[in-house]
Amino acid sequence: LSEINIVESNSSMIDCNGVRACWDNTMNVESSAMTSITCREENACKESTIVLTHNDIASIECFETSSCDSMTVHIENVSNVSISCHQPNACDNLQIYSDSDQVDLYMLNPNHNVQITVPNEFKVDRLHCDEDAYINVDGDTYLNIYTSVEAVEQEVV
């Protein structure tokens, strides 16, 4: 267990390039113009905690299976955030807590038990999935992302 702290930087890059390179780490990035966190190998950022505070742009990239498994991300006062999960199960059990609805989530392959908490509602245009994707909301499985969102919107109304 270790901690990485970056404060007041124009460009912050954390490259977890190796199996378990940043496993169970805490990464704090505060007051950065641009932040990039890359988890390149299996288990590279597994069980890590990322705290982004007062950043302009932030991206988290999870490239391999289980590279971001059980990761927790806290987002506070960040203008533009994107989290990308490139391989199957790269982001299983991912938990995201944001004080803004402005979080883009790219699920390019199947991932399970991904949870996102935003202050108002997570908008469908912020979820970018493979065309065959589906989501499971409160235990009900839907055919694809579009019917899933329609069903949730009908329940809310």
Side-chain angles (χ1 to χ4, degrees):
L1 177 66
S2 64
E3 191 166 316
I4 299 168
N5 295 301
I6 300 174
V7 179
E8 296 184 18
S9 173
N10 285 334
S11 179
S12 303
M13 296 181 72
I14 300 173
D15 190 4
C16 299
N17 189 12
V19 175
R20 299 182 180 184
C22 298
W23 184 332
D24 198 23
N25 280 344
T26 299
M27 298 172 235
N28 298 301
V29 182
E30 182 178 346
S31 301
S32 180
M34 184 172 154
T35 299
S36 173
I37 299 173
T38 306
C39 303
R40 296 187 186 278
E41 300 294 332
E42 287 187 23
N43 301 318
C45 299
K46 184 174 182 171
E47 298 177 8
S48 290
T49 300
I50 297 175
V51 180
L52 302 169
T53 310
H54 302 288
N55 291 269
D56 293 330
I57 298 170
S59 71
I60 300 170
E61 300 275 343
C62 304
F63 284 104
E64 291 298 329
T65 300
S66 70
S67 57
C68 296
D69 184 13
S70 301
M71 176 186 280
T72 302
V73 181
H74 297 275
I75 302 164
E76 183 180 323
N77 288 330
V78 181
S79 303
N80 184 354
V81 179
S82 68
I83 300 172
S84 300
C85 304
H86 295 275
Q87 293 295 323
N89 308 105
C91 296
D92 283 356
N93 306 304
L94 174 66
Q95 294 184 14
I96 304 164
Y97 301 94
S98 177
D99 67 348
S100 167
D101 298 335
Q102 308 300 315
V103 178
D104 283 300
L105 190 56
Y106 294 84
M107 293 297 192
L108 306 174
N109 279 286
N111 289 275
H112 302 91
N113 197 31
V114 175
Q115 299 176 19
I116 183 165
T117 303
V118 294
N120 297 303
E121 65 180 309
F122 189 70
K123 303 278 188 186
V124 69
D125 62 340
R126 295 285 181 183
L127 180 60
H128 312 277
C129 292
D130 177 49
E131 64 185 42
D132 295 327
Y134 68 90
I135 59 174
N136 184 320
V137 180
D138 295 330
D140 296 323
T141 301
Y142 298 94
L143 296 177
N144 61 44
I145 186 66
Y146 302 106
T147 58
S148 301
V149 171
E150 289 170 8
V152 170
E153 288 174 349
Q154 288 174 3
E155 289 178 17
V156 172
V157 175

